[in-house]
Amino acid sequence: MDPQPSDQQPDSHASSPDASSLGQPPDSDSQAQLQPSDENSVDPHEVAAFGWEASEFVLHEKPVVWYVGVIAAAAVFCAGLAWFKQWIAIALVAVMTLAVISFSRKEPRVLQYMVDDDGITIDGKLHDYYLFKSYSLHPQVGWREIDFEPAKRFSQRLTVLCEDEAFDHIEAVLSVHLPRVDREPDFIEKLTRYLKF
């Protein structure tokens, strides 16, 4: 049988492009879609304050061997002091050993943090920016450690924790008030991390 001719004619307008659009630049909406965007960048001028919550310190799970080692080291030290009959020093070592063991088992609290134009607020206590001369970053696994270098020589260093996702917002505020000067951990910091204390 011969095929029957179709009554429908192909629509020339559906398959052919508009001649007026050839060679013309895309409109403003198309240009906006073609522009690359960095979703992770944070403008410091758009972030005036940022709050988050985090642990006051990182709790490292310690095996039984760790406690045995601490007690053994204290016992050897006390034995040396006993040879010289330093009874007061032996008592101090015993107290310090008990304090170290007790603190190592302490559960960290979850604190509320805030950075804004006034300073760093930790659980309602404000730390003004003039108390610090810079801040540094120590990346860890799953979190970041922000270390604030004190302006006075013998003042205590301030360290706060945050998650990776929150750091860009925190730095957007801090960079307006303090310079970032990354540094290597000192001997005490390396020792405490090695001992997981």
Side-chain angles (χ1 to χ4, degrees), residues 179-195:
R180 175 176 170 178
V181 181
D182 290 335
R183 62 177 183 83
E184 291 294 325
D186 56 28
F187 174 76
I188 299 298
E189 291 173 328
K190 291 180 180 179
L191 181 62
T192 55
R193 291 178 183 179
Y194 176 78
L195 296 176

Side-chain angles (χ1 to χ4, degrees), residues 54-62 67 99-111 113 123 161 197:
S55 298
E56 58 180 333
F57 59 87
V58 179
L59 178 64
H60 298 282
E61 295 294 333
K62 301 172 182 62
Y67 296 99
V100 167
I101 294 176
S102 176
F103 184 79
S104 67
R105 298 175 62 86
K106 179 184 177 183
E107 294 286 338
R109 298 176 299 164
V110 177
L111 304 180
Y113 296 88
D123 255 17
L161 301 178
F197 189 74

Side-chain angles (χ1 to χ4, degrees), residues 8-187:
Q8 295 181 352
Q9 299 295 327
D11 188 359
S12 59
H13 298 287
S15 58
S16 60
D18 187 1
S20 62
S21 64
L22 294 176
Q24 298 296 328
D27 56 15
S28 59
D29 293 336
S30 300
Q31 287 181 342
Q33 294 177 357
L34 294 175
Q35 294 296 329
S37 61
D38 186 2
E39 298 180 355
N40 296 326
S41 61
V42 180
D43 187 357
H45 301 288
E46 295 181 356
V47 182
F50 184 77
W52 75 101
E53 64 178 22
S55 298
E56 58 180 333
F57 59 87
V58 179
L59 178 64
H60 298 282
E61 295 294 333
K62 301 172 182 62
V64 178
V65 178
W66 189 91
Y67 296 99
V68 173
V70 171
I71 296 173
V76 171
F77 194 56
C78 289
L81 293 173
W83 179 265
F84 297 99
K85 299 181 180 181
Q86 300 294 323
W87 313 119
I88 296 178
I90 292 175
L92 290 176
V93 171
V95 172
M96 291 175 59
T97 302
L98 292 175
V100 167
I101 294 176
S102 176
F103 184 79
S104 67
R105 298 175 62 86
K106 179 184 177 183
E107 294 286 338
R109 298 176 299 164
V110 177
L111 304 180
Q112 300 292 328
Y113 296 88
M114 171 75 73
V115 287
D116 53 19
D117 291 336
D118 296 326
I120 307 107
T121 304
I122 303 175
D123 255 17
K125 182 179 180 181
L126 177 65
H127 302 266
D128 293 304
Y129 288 117
Y130 72 82
L131 298 174
F132 311 101
K133 60 182 180 181
S134 63
Y135 73 95
S136 60
L137 175 66
H138 300 287
Q140 303 292 333
V141 179
W143 71 89
R144 302 197 185 191
E145 222 175 60
I146 306 175
D147 192 50
F148 294 91
E149 188 71 21
K152 295 182 179 180
R153 184 174 183 180
F154 296 106
S155 299
Q156 186 177 4
R157 185 179 286 116
L158 179 65
T159 301
V160 300
L161 301 178
C162 70
E163 295 182 350
D164 291 341
E165 296 78 7
F167 176 73
D168 289 338
H169 300 279
I170 298 170
E171 188 173 41
V173 180
L174 293 179
S175 60
V176 178
H177 305 279
L178 292 173
R180 175 176 170 178
V181 181
D182 290 335
R183 62 177 183 83
E184 291 294 325
D186 56 28
F187 174 76

